[in-house]
Amino acid sequence: MNAIKHFVITRIGLGMYDEARLRKVIDLFEAITLSSLFNQSSQEFISLVAIDAHMPLGARERLSALIKERPNYFLVPIDVTRLINVRAGCFDWVWDCCQDFILAKGLLEDPSDYIISSNIDADDAWHRDIVGSINRLFSERLPDLLAMEKGDGRSTWTSHTAGIAATFPQGYQWFVAANAVADMTFPFHSMSVFITARFSSGISACSSRHSQWPEYAKVVQFDVGASKTAPQMWVYCRHDEATVSWNAVQGVPVTPEFEQGLSMMFGVDMEKVQQWRVNYPVTADVEYLGQRTTREQYDLIFRIAALNRKIRAIRSSVDAQNVSAADDELMPCEIEREQLIEKLQG
């Protein structure tokens, strides 16, 4: 059986600069997501934790300390004020930076190899066997992928790589502050998207909105698979730093037995979760309308990227006779860019 390298991408603190809020987010990341990853039955994966290059030093040092004893865990700094290649409806720009990091660090020898990619948000958890299960599945299917590449049914634009988009539809929705839980069925939910494709294809779990992977798979002619027999394989956490609205009344109180299951089957550090509730009490623990600031952050990132591209285009077209005219055109763009960056980081 051929092993395929598995890259797990987690975004934390991109466009976030408030130290108090970062402390709260990192505490939850440590208690739930990082603990879940540390307790995976297979550690045959490389964790890429995408952080903002301008993250306050204290937060960055805290994250570095959390993973310093783990040789397969890395922080990937991304300067969101220097981006140019961004696309709505996906996080390709995060994967683009991760690809550069992977090659610079020598984490993949052949850049045309098949790899596995997945996302897990910085507040969610996986069943302890999910990495091992996916790695086995995709490694077993590698000969099929190689054969599919040569198939007559592949178009010119999809001939470089075949691929598989796999998911586990069953999970839990956990309302952390209210300590309530509900069963959840959602194929291709964010932490349940697992993609294999050639690294050189540029396609990863970041390439599409998670819920739309079955449709995107048609574009790239990937196989789509969903387990019909697996038990709940992920935990989707809801709390007052979430970006999506939720209402905890649909959940039922968490029992001691379920808490034990969160620890044993999903690797969640329940003591740290309980301490998080003490440290960050909330009043609205039943209904939450979502973080509007996150939308504003990403809108600013996209606007800055567009100006970066315009500035690059102007500079690349300058010749000796038009330096003054180019400066006149550049100045308002650079002023607007700095204003947007100040607003983002303010």
Side-chain angles (χ1 to χ4, degrees), residues 77-95:
I78 298 177
D79 188 342
V80 299
T81 71
R82 296 292 176 184
L83 296 172
I84 290 177
N85 298 314
V86 294
R87 183 164 63 90
C90 69
F91 282 97
D92 265 350
W93 50 275
V94 172
W95 178 241

mmCIF file of all heavy atoms in Angstrom, residues 77-95:
data_model
loop_
_atom_site.group_PDB
_atom_site.id
_atom_site.type_symbol
_atom_site.label_atom_id
_atom_site.label_comp_id
_atom_site.label_asym_id
_atom_site.label_seq_id
_atom_site.Cartn_x
_atom_site.Cartn_y
_atom_site.Cartn_z
ATOM 1 N N PRO A 77 2.636 31.398 8.736
ATOM 2 C CA PRO A 77 2.257 32.819 8.769
ATOM 3 C C PRO A 77 1.816 33.296 7.387
ATOM 4 O O PRO A 77 2.480 33.026 6.386
ATOM 5 C CB PRO A 77 3.554 33.515 9.205
ATOM 6 C CG PRO A 77 4.462 32.426 9.692
ATOM 7 C CD PRO A 77 4.076 31.199 8.955
ATOM 8 N N ILE A 78 0.698 33.991 7.344
ATOM 9 C CA ILE A 78 0.175 34.544 6.097
ATOM 10 C C ILE A 78 -0.012 36.047 6.277
ATOM 11 O O ILE A 78 -0.727 36.485 7.179
ATOM 12 C CB ILE A 78 -1.166 33.892 5.721
ATOM 13 C CG1 ILE A 78 -0.986 32.388 5.486
ATOM 14 C CG2 ILE A 78 -1.766 34.557 4.483
ATOM 15 C CD1 ILE A 78 -2.280 31.645 5.182
ATOM 16 N N ASP A 79 0.643 36.815 5.422
ATOM 17 C CA ASP A 79 0.486 38.268 5.463
ATOM 18 C C ASP A 79 -0.726 38.621 4.599
ATOM 19 O O ASP A 79 -0.626 38.710 3.364
ATOM 20 C CB ASP A 79 1.744 38.961 4.943
ATOM 21 C CG ASP A 79 1.708 40.466 5.157
ATOM 22 O OD1 ASP A 79 0.608 41.005 5.388
ATOM 23 O OD2 ASP A 79 2.779 41.106 5.070
ATOM 24 N N VAL A 80 -1.864 38.819 5.237
ATOM 25 C CA VAL A 80 -3.097 39.073 4.487
ATOM 26 C C VAL A 80 -3.099 40.450 3.832
ATOM 27 O O VAL A 80 -3.962 40.734 3.003
ATOM 28 C CB VAL A 80 -4.348 38.899 5.385
ATOM 29 C CG1 VAL A 80 -4.440 37.488 5.921
ATOM 30 C CG2 VAL A 80 -4.363 39.911 6.523
ATOM 31 N N THR A 81 -2.129 41.284 4.188
ATOM 32 C CA THR A 81 -2.038 42.603 3.548
ATOM 33 C C THR A 81 -1.232 42.552 2.253
ATOM 34 O O THR A 81 -1.123 43.555 1.553
ATOM 35 C CB THR A 81 -1.398 43.640 4.493
ATOM 36 O OG1 THR A 81 -0.001 43.354 4.655
ATOM 37 C CG2 THR A 81 -2.083 43.634 5.847
ATOM 38 N N ARG A 82 -0.656 41.394 1.917
ATOM 39 C CA ARG A 82 0.166 41.258 0.706
ATOM 40 C C ARG A 82 -0.447 40.295 -0.306
ATOM 41 O O ARG A 82 0.180 40.007 -1.328
ATOM 42 C CB ARG A 82 1.574 40.782 1.085
ATOM 43 C CG ARG A 82 2.358 41.752 1.950
ATOM 44 C CD ARG A 82 2.712 42.992 1.176
ATOM 45 N NE ARG A 82 3.390 44.000 2.011
ATOM 46 C CZ ARG A 82 3.732 45.198 1.588
ATOM 47 N NH1 ARG A 82 3.483 45.555 0.336
ATOM 48 N NH2 ARG A 82 4.332 46.066 2.389
ATOM 49 N N LEU A 83 -1.619 39.798 -0.034
ATOM 50 C CA LEU A 83 -2.247 38.835 -0.930
ATOM 51 C C LEU A 83 -2.628 39.474 -2.260
ATOM 52 O O LEU A 83 -2.952 40.660 -2.318
ATOM 53 C CB LEU A 83 -3.497 38.243 -0.274
ATOM 54 C CG LEU A 83 -3.287 37.410 0.990
ATOM 55 C CD1 LEU A 83 -4.636 37.071 1.621
ATOM 56 C CD2 LEU A 83 -2.506 36.139 0.692
ATOM 57 N N ILE A 84 -2.600 38.670 -3.295
ATOM 58 C CA ILE A 84 -3.079 39.088 -4.611
ATOM 59 C C ILE A 84 -4.068 38.067 -5.161
ATOM 60 O O ILE A 84 -5.129 38.412 -5.672
ATOM 61 C CB ILE A 84 -1.906 39.284 -5.590
ATOM 62 C CG1 ILE A 84 -1.087 40.515 -5.189
ATOM 63 C CG2 ILE A 84 -2.414 39.437 -7.026
ATOM 64 C CD1 ILE A 84 0.131 40.747 -6.053
ATOM 65 N N ASN A 85 -3.727 36.790 -5.044
ATOM 66 C CA ASN A 85 -4.555 35.726 -5.622
ATOM 67 C C ASN A 85 -5.609 35.253 -4.615
ATOM 68 O O ASN A 85 -5.394 34.291 -3.879
ATOM 69 C CB ASN A 85 -3.665 34.548 -6.046
ATOM 70 C CG ASN A 85 -2.676 34.940 -7.117
ATOM 71 O OD1 ASN A 85 -3.041 35.600 -8.082
ATOM 72 N ND2 ASN A 85 -1.418 34.563 -6.948
ATOM 73 N N VAL A 86 -6.720 35.935 -4.573
ATOM 74 C CA VAL A 86 -7.833 35.531 -3.711
ATOM 75 C C VAL A 86 -9.050 35.246 -4.581
ATOM 76 O O VAL A 86 -9.182 35.784 -5.675
ATOM 77 C CB VAL A 86 -8.163 36.610 -2.659
ATOM 78 C CG1 VAL A 86 -7.024 36.780 -1.679
ATOM 79 C CG2 VAL A 86 -8.488 37.947 -3.327
ATOM 80 N N ARG A 87 -9.915 34.378 -4.065
ATOM 81 C CA ARG A 87 -11.107 34.009 -4.828
ATOM 82 C C ARG A 87 -12.244 33.780 -3.854
ATOM 83 O O ARG A 87 -12.068 33.089 -2.840
ATOM 84 C CB ARG A 87 -10.841 32.742 -5.649
ATOM 85 C CG ARG A 87 -11.994 32.305 -6.529
ATOM 86 C CD ARG A 87 -11.525 31.304 -7.584
ATOM 87 N NE ARG A 87 -11.020 30.081 -7.012
ATOM 88 C CZ ARG A 87 -11.774 29.009 -6.752
ATOM 89 N NH1 ARG A 87 -13.067 29.044 -6.994
ATOM 90 N NH2 ARG A 87 -11.244 27.918 -6.243
ATOM 91 N N ALA A 88 -13.402 34.353 -4.143
ATOM 92 C CA ALA A 88 -14.555 34.199 -3.264
ATOM 93 C C ALA A 88 -15.077 32.763 -3.330
ATOM 94 O O ALA A 88 -14.917 32.066 -4.334
ATOM 95 C CB ALA A 88 -15.666 35.172 -3.657
ATOM 96 N N GLY A 89 -15.698 32.326 -2.253
ATOM 97 C CA GLY A 89 -16.318 31.001 -2.221
ATOM 98 C C GLY A 89 -15.364 29.886 -1.875
ATOM 99 O O GLY A 89 -15.721 28.709 -1.997
ATOM 100 N N CYS A 90 -14.138 30.235 -1.436
ATOM 101 C CA CYS A 90 -13.169 29.195 -1.104
ATOM 102 C C CYS A 90 -12.062 29.818 -0.261
ATOM 103 O O CYS A 90 -12.066 31.015 0.020
ATOM 104 C CB CYS A 90 -12.590 28.584 -2.373
ATOM 105 S SG CYS A 90 -11.533 29.719 -3.295
ATOM 106 N N PHE A 91 -11.110 28.981 0.134
ATOM 107 C CA PHE A 91 -9.919 29.445 0.838
ATOM 108 C C PHE A 91 -8.669 29.029 0.073
ATOM 109 O O PHE A 91 -7.652 28.662 0.663
ATOM 110 C CB PHE A 91 -9.877 28.899 2.268
ATOM 111 C CG PHE A 91 -10.783 29.621 3.216
ATOM 112 C CD1 PHE A 91 -12.040 29.123 3.511
ATOM 113 C CD2 PHE A 91 -10.384 30.812 3.798
ATOM 114 C CE1 PHE A 91 -12.883 29.797 4.376
ATOM 115 C CE2 PHE A 91 -11.223 31.497 4.670
ATOM 116 C CZ PHE A 91 -12.481 30.989 4.961
ATOM 117 N N ASP A 92 -8.739 29.092 -1.261
ATOM 118 C CA ASP A 92 -7.580 28.745 -2.084
ATOM 119 C C ASP A 92 -6.364 29.580 -1.723
ATOM 120 O O ASP A 92 -5.224 29.120 -1.832
ATOM 121 C CB ASP A 92 -7.909 28.951 -3.567
ATOM 122 C CG ASP A 92 -8.381 27.665 -4.231
ATOM 123 O OD1 ASP A 92 -8.268 26.601 -3.608
ATOM 124 O OD2 ASP A 92 -8.878 27.733 -5.363
ATOM 125 N N TRP A 93 -6.597 30.830 -1.320
ATOM 126 C CA TRP A 93 -5.465 31.691 -0.994
ATOM 127 C C TRP A 93 -4.715 31.184 0.237
ATOM 128 O O TRP A 93 -3.502 31.367 0.350
ATOM 129 C CB TRP A 93 -5.901 33.138 -0.817
ATOM 130 C CG TRP A 93 -7.060 33.367 0.105
ATOM 131 C CD1 TRP A 93 -8.386 33.300 -0.204
ATOM 132 C CD2 TRP A 93 -6.998 33.722 1.492
ATOM 133 N NE1 TRP A 93 -9.157 33.592 0.898
ATOM 134 C CE2 TRP A 93 -8.327 33.860 1.956
ATOM 135 C CE3 TRP A 93 -5.947 33.957 2.379
ATOM 136 C CZ2 TRP A 93 -8.632 34.198 3.279
ATOM 137 C CZ3 TRP A 93 -6.251 34.308 3.698
ATOM 138 C CH2 TRP A 93 -7.572 34.419 4.124
ATOM 139 N N VAL A 94 -5.418 30.521 1.142
ATOM 140 C CA VAL A 94 -4.745 29.905 2.289
ATOM 141 C C VAL A 94 -3.920 28.715 1.817
ATOM 142 O O VAL A 94 -2.752 28.554 2.199
ATOM 143 C CB VAL A 94 -5.773 29.476 3.359
ATOM 144 C CG1 VAL A 94 -5.093 28.665 4.461
ATOM 145 C CG2 VAL A 94 -6.469 30.693 3.953
ATOM 146 N N TRP A 95 -4.514 27.874 0.963
ATOM 147 C CA TRP A 95 -3.789 26.711 0.449
ATOM 148 C C TRP A 95 -2.594 27.153 -0.394
ATOM 149 O O TRP A 95 -1.538 26.507 -0.362
ATOM 150 C CB TRP A 95 -4.717 25.820 -0.355
ATOM 151 C CG TRP A 95 -4.035 24.623 -0.971
ATOM 152 C CD1 TRP A 95 -3.923 24.317 -2.286
ATOM 153 C CD2 TRP A 95 -3.364 23.558 -0.258
ATOM 154 N NE1 TRP A 95 -3.242 23.144 -2.457
ATOM 155 C CE2 TRP A 95 -2.878 22.658 -1.224
ATOM 156 C CE3 TRP A 95 -3.125 23.291 1.093
ATOM 157 C CZ2 TRP A 95 -2.171 21.501 -0.890
ATOM 158 C CZ3 TRP A 95 -2.412 22.145 1.431
ATOM 159 C CH2 TRP A 95 -1.945 21.270 0.458
#
